[in-house]
Amino acid sequence: MSAQAGASPFRLASRSGGIRPSAIREILKATAQPGVISFAGGLPAAELFPLEEVRRATQEALADDGPAALQYGLTEGYGPLREWIAADLAANSGLKVTAGEVLVVSGSQQGLDLVAKVLLDPGDLVLVENPCYLGAIQAFSAYEARLLGVACDEGGIRPEALRRAMESAPARPKLLYLTPRFQNPTGTSLAPSRQAEIVALAEEFGVPVLEDDPYGRLRYSGPPHQALGALAGTGGWLFLGSTSKFLAPGLRVGWLAVRDPAFFERLVSVKQAADLHTPGLTQRAAFHYLRRPDAVQAHVAILCHVYRRRRDAMLAALARHLPTGCRWTRPDGGLFLWLELPEGADALDLFGAARKQNVLFVPGESFWVGEPKRHTLRLNFSHADPERIDEGVRRLASAWAGLR
Amino acid sequence: MSAQAGASPFRLASRSGGIRPSAIREILKATAQPGVISFAGGLPAAELFPLEEVRRATQEALADDGPAALQYGLTEGYGPLREWIAADLAANSGLKVTAGEVLVVSGSQQGLDLVAKVLLDPGDLVLVENPCYLGAIQAFSAYEARLLGVACDEGGIRPEALRRAMESAPARPKLLYLTPRFQNPTGTSLAPSRQAEIVALAEEFGVPVLEDDPYGRLRYSGPPHQALGALAGTGGWLFLGSTSKFLAPGLRVGWLAVRDPAFFERLVSVKQAADLHTPGLTQRAAFHYLRRPDAVQAHVAILCHVYRRRRDAMLAALARHLPTGCRWTRPDGGLFLWLELPEGADALDLFGAARKQNVLFVPGESFWVGEPKRHTLRLNFSHADPERIDEGVRRLASAWAGLR
């Protein structure tokens, strides 16, 4: 068969259409401009990165392991790091897994992608919190899954809404995706009183759960929670962790804990075809940093101290500057809070007006599955210092006043 | 809908079945055993890694860029590295691309995966050299593509076979995958006399080409070749490069050069959903190493010197120990050569016998698309020193004699 003259030789896969183009990427490019106060990104505060410790850890990795740190490695990941992860999951999340049940991934985004690739055929159903983490929406949509959003409130996903979604789903969902601690974009956590019911629902309906926990260590108030998976009795529970938010996102080191051996093997095969393995250097740099519990604890304490102040500054600024009719969440941890303008408002209008005042945020639109609530938006409070936060919220309120 | 009791909650995607389970992974695990002489892996020689230079480059990355090296980065890659790649492609491969047409990927395996994900629907046709690089077979099979193997000989892919494959294909192939320099598994290169014809065929039939060039710098004899893409007149040409074979595979830093802007954008979106970006630390470590042309040149010269001796040792050992009736390729570069036992032999039998003598290789079976030629096998010559190579080939010949 001969080609038509002038036609592009690239004929894209049909699934390519399923990926939502990321408006956020464009917004993030604008954050680099001088004078801008950004509440848009999900960026940890770069000035808090433990640069000197990472430098030392990288040196140790190269000194201790020598050429092995630069050679091809096992797809499953670097053994000592997998051991550390298994021990940490037991200690900090209440999850009992062995090192052999841990797959090191290239950041939690790759964990989402691999799980989606192994599980999802076009049209398959995935239940998600609504609003939902955008990276998960992208990963699942890339495989043309159909996302069903489940209603949430200040206590996280609502059990009766989840039961209704399970019962009325036209087919058994392939996956339930949850971020029970300090969710992105809302900052809310699953209320302890709901935990057992959510786990029981997943088991009753035979729907595997992917529990995403990037922010678990960043807790500023409220009681500590175990991972939801600690309550689960079946192998159908996947847990996704990452160093990005408490160490450094540029390392791209995350992990999937997978109790089901056959599913684990499928993930390994798919990861091998995707990138062979996560870089030996960054895995070892992470390990040599993480293996010092005192250093990790001290660093997390600093992060929590600084981020708590920023969260408090943002809550205070919102109360100070925003008019009545606006509502927002009061997260116990994480990097974000969620703002609702009065019903009928459009956060995109506010975005345009705020941008002229050099303040950025992410309109809520992108995070909704199905019909978006256009009066919502996400504010990051980890990136700017308290004075800038107050000034940014003041400008935001002024932009809002200008629209009225 | 309620679940059946006892059923696994994981119901895999249909495409999961398309991934060939990797026999090679099992073989590679055996290479770590003491006393084993391995011709099996595709491992560069670890003792030649420029460990001290990588250490220094990593330090420079953290010192120069500070926190930026640990922060989230652009999906497209680290700017100065993209600039270096574009300049290097012009200087060493004759390819004219801008830094904006370079996408940094997490090793060339990810490049294969991303291109496959953007292009391939189940049942789509991909033309490949036969035998073919296993990682490419895995990447394309993961998206349920149908691979059509095109016959090759000592001069690489055969133009008349490619024309026949294009003409008789039941639909227009979505991609032609080629490794024109020092191919894995055969070690052969595309003969200069064939180059223009191969490029013209791809253009005549409107089939985009993915040119994979992991070994281009590892040339031990014969004239230098430009990249095949230097001859191509259309935007339908993709070029895949990597640091794995001339610097260090554990960094997992590779690149895709893509002239078609729309296709580039699709790749960026898909990479964003797959792993956000390649680690900032390894990208910068690679850049700070690569930006010293003298150091790179000197290191590549050492690699070529050592690997040339190993290739020569293997060619000599094969001539010395193997009986008549065996044939093998004489590669001008790369890491592998390809051995044909007498017709009717089965390399799997030899594998079993050789393993008892502590010699490993990869039976050719895994590399064939369609009906395998079972009397073929791949030998890596870069991993062992000349004495071990001679001893290994001696054992191989003894194992072969024991089977007769």
Side-chain angles (χ1 to χ4, degrees):
Chain A
M1 299 176 54
S2 229
Q4 292 171 322
S8 165
F10 293 111
R11 288 158 297 136
L12 306 187
S14 60
R15 88 177 65 79
S16 295
I19 301 170
R20 197 189 280 219
S22 176
I24 290 193
R25 261 178 71 219
E26 296 313 306
I27 297 175
L28 291 184
K29 282 181 182 168
T31 61
Q33 287 159 17
V36 163
I37 298 178
S38 178
F39 303 141
L43 300 183
E47 70 273 19
L48 300 179
F49 290 148
L51 195 59
E52 179 51 32
E53 286 80 359
V54 171
R55 197 196 59 75
R56 192 178 57 187
T58 309
Q59 293 306 89
E60 283 179 6
L62 288 169
D64 287 12
D65 280 351
L70 301 180
Q71 187 56 288
Y72 285 113
L74 290 182
T75 302
E76 292 86 339
Y78 175 56
L81 177 61
R82 298 170 76 201
E83 297 281 352
W84 180 89
I85 293 164
D88 180 69
L89 288 174
N92 286 312
S93 303
L95 285 173
K96 286 188 191 67
V97 291
T98 67
E101 295 168 324
V102 171
L103 175 65
V104 177
V105 292
S106 301
S108 59
Q109 187 66 35
Q110 188 185 48
L112 297 171
D113 182 62
L114 297 178
V115 169
K117 192 168 180 180
V118 171
L119 275 184
L120 300 178
D121 281 318
D124 277 349
L125 302 178
V126 177
L127 295 167
V128 301
E129 293 151 325
N130 209 8
C132 178
Y133 170 51
L134 184 64
I137 294 176
Q138 289 179 315
F140 302 145
S141 300
Y143 297 93
E144 298 179 89
R146 218 179 113 201
L147 303 188
L148 299 178
V150 181
C152 298
D153 59 22
E154 275 272 356
I157 196 166
R158 291 169 51 192
E160 75 283 5
L162 180 59
R163 170 175 289 281
R164 222 168 26 242
M166 298 251 194
E167 283 173 349
S168 65
R172 178 152 59 113
K174 280 280 188 84
L175 190 68
L176 167 60
Y177 170 74
L178 292 175
T179 307
R181 301 199 266 196
F182 320 132
Q183 195 233 16
N184 177 0
T186 62
T188 56
S189 299
L190 186 66
S193 60
R194 293 181 182 178
Q195 293 176 353
E197 194 171 353
I198 297 297
V199 172
L201 274 169
E203 294 183 355
E204 175 186 345
F205 287 87
V207 177
V209 177
L210 174 55
E211 178 175 9
D212 193 3
D213 187 47
Y215 311 108
R217 278 180 168 81
L218 301 180
R219 186 173 59 83
Y220 321 132
S221 51
H225 297 184
Q226 284 202 323
L228 200 56
L231 305 176
T234 75
W237 201 280
L238 307 169
F239 186 88
L240 184 56
S242 167
T243 58
S244 292
K245 299 307 191 294
F246 75 94
L247 172 49
L251 292 179
R252 312 304 304 125
V253 172
W255 47 85
L256 264 171
V258 182
R259 291 202 191 100
D260 183 294
F263 195 73
F264 186 88
E265 273 311 304
R266 296 302 316 156
L267 286 168
V268 171
S269 289
V270 165
K271 177 165 169 66
Q272 189 184 32
D275 68 356
L276 296 187
H277 61 84
T278 296
L281 185 62
T282 50
Q283 288 192 70
R284 283 169 174 84
F287 169 71
H288 281 274
Y289 176 82
L290 295 169
R291 73 196 178 89
R292 294 190 172 86
D294 293 352
V296 175
Q297 217 175 343
H299 178 61
V300 169
I302 292 170
L303 291 179
C304 288
H305 173 76
V306 172
Y307 290 163
R308 181 186 297 114
R309 286 187 57 226
R310 292 179 181 189
R311 175 202 63 177
D312 292 345
M314 185 165 274
L315 290 173
L318 290 169
R320 187 178 309 128
H321 299 299
L322 284 194
T324 51
C326 295
R327 293 153 21 103
W328 51 88
T329 57
R330 285 165 182 76
D332 280 329
L335 304 180
F336 305 103
L337 62 76
W338 188 245
L339 179 63
E340 294 189 16
L341 303 170
E343 291 265 4
D346 189 333
L348 277 177
D349 296 336
L350 179 59
F351 179 79
R355 192 170 180 169
K356 287 188 192 129
Q357 305 215 23
N358 274 337
V359 177
L360 295 175
F361 59 84
V362 181
E365 200 180 55
S366 309
F367 304 102
W368 289 100
V369 167
E371 193 56 38
K373 295 191 178 173
R374 298 190 186 280
H375 61 298
T376 58
L377 58 101
R378 188 188 77 174
L379 295 176
N380 165 279
F381 56 75
S382 64
H383 193 58
D385 66 34
E387 293 68 35
R388 302 274 289 168
I389 286 174
D390 188 72
E391 171 61 16
V393 173
R394 196 195 57 74
R395 292 189 204 169
L396 198 66
S398 142
W400 171 248
L403 289 175
R404 297 289 91 186
Chain B
M1 300 177 52
S2 226
Q4 292 169 321
S8 164
F10 293 112
R11 288 157 298 138
L12 306 186
S14 60
R15 88 177 63 80
S16 295
I19 301 170
R20 196 189 282 218
S22 177
I24 291 195
R25 261 177 70 219
E26 295 313 306
I27 296 176
L28 290 184
K29 282 182 182 167
T31 63
Q33 287 159 18
V36 164
I37 299 177
S38 177
F39 303 140
L43 301 182
E47 70 273 19
L48 300 179
F49 289 148
L51 195 60
E52 178 52 32
E53 287 81 359
V54 171
R55 197 196 59 74
R56 191 178 59 187
T58 309
Q59 293 305 87
E60 283 179 9
L62 289 169
D64 287 15
D65 280 351
L70 301 181
Q71 187 57 286
Y72 284 112
L74 289 182
T75 301
E76 292 87 338
Y78 175 56
L81 177 62
R82 298 170 77 201
E83 297 280 353
W84 180 90
I85 292 165
D88 180 69
L89 288 174
N92 286 313
S93 304
L95 286 172
K96 287 188 191 68
V97 291
T98 66
E101 294 167 325
V102 171
L103 176 65
V104 177
V105 292
S106 301
S108 59
Q109 188 66 35
Q110 188 185 47
L112 297 171
D113 182 61
L114 298 178
V115 169
K117 191 168 179 180
V118 171
L119 275 184
L120 301 177
D121 280 318
D124 277 349
L125 302 178
V126 177
L127 295 167
V128 300
E129 294 151 324
N130 208 12
C132 178
Y133 170 50
L134 184 64
I137 294 177
Q138 290 179 314
F140 302 145
S141 299
Y143 297 94
E144 297 179 89
R146 217 179 113 200
L147 303 189
L148 299 178
V150 182
C152 298
D153 59 22
E154 274 274 356
I157 196 166
R158 291 169 51 192
E160 75 282 6
L162 180 58
R163 173 175 288 280
R164 225 169 23 243
M166 297 249 195
E167 284 173 350
S168 65
R172 177 150 60 113
K174 281 281 188 82
L175 190 68
L176 167 59
Y177 171 74
L178 292 175
T179 310
R181 300 199 269 197
F182 322 130
Q183 194 233 16
N184 178 357
T186 63
T188 57
S189 297
L190 185 65
S193 61
R194 294 181 181 177
Q195 293 177 353
E197 195 173 350
I198 297 297
V199 171
L201 275 170
E203 293 183 356
E204 176 186 344
F205 287 87
V207 177
V209 177
L210 174 55
E211 178 176 7
D212 193 1
D213 187 46
Y215 310 109
R217 278 182 169 81
L218 301 180
R219 185 173 59 82
Y220 321 132
S221 51
H225 298 183
Q226 286 200 324
L228 199 56
L231 305 175
T234 74
W237 202 280
L238 308 169
F239 186 87
L240 184 56
S242 167
T243 58
S244 291
K245 300 308 192 294
F246 75 95
L247 172 50
L251 292 178
R252 313 303 307 125
V253 172
W255 45 85
L256 264 172
V258 182
R259 292 202 191 99
D260 184 294
F263 194 73
F264 186 89
E265 273 311 304
R266 296 301 315 152
L267 286 168
V268 171
S269 290
V270 165
K271 179 166 167 65
Q272 189 183 32
D275 68 355
L276 296 186
H277 62 82
T278 296
L281 185 61
T282 51
Q283 288 192 70
R284 284 169 173 83
F287 170 70
H288 281 273
Y289 175 82
L290 296 169
R291 73 196 178 88
R292 295 188 171 89
D294 293 352
V296 175
Q297 219 175 340
H299 178 63
V300 169
I302 292 171
L303 291 178
C304 288
H305 174 76
V306 173
Y307 290 164
R308 182 187 296 115
R309 287 186 59 225
R310 293 179 180 188
R311 176 202 63 176
D312 293 344
M314 185 166 275
L315 290 173
L318 291 168
R320 186 178 307 127
H321 298 298
L322 284 194
T324 51
C326 294
R327 291 151 24 102
W328 51 89
T329 57
R330 285 165 182 77
D332 280 332
L335 304 180
F336 305 103
L337 62 75
W338 187 245
L339 179 64
E340 293 188 17
L341 303 171
E343 291 263 6
D346 189 333
L348 278 177
D349 296 337
L350 179 60
F351 179 79
R355 191 169 182 172
K356 288 188 191 128
Q357 304 216 24
N358 274 338
V359 178
L360 295 174
F361 60 83
V362 181
E365 201 181 55
S366 309
F367 304 103
W368 290 99
V369 168
E371 191 55 38
K373 296 189 178 173
R374 298 191 186 279
H375 61 300
T376 59
L377 57 100
R378 188 188 77 174
L379 295 176
N380 166 277
F381 56 76
S382 65
H383 193 58
D385 65 33
E387 293 69 35
R388 302 273 289 168
I389 286 174
D390 188 72
E391 170 62 16
V393 173
R394 196 195 59 72
R395 290 189 205 169
L396 199 64
S398 143
W400 171 248
L403 288 175
R404 295 290 91 187

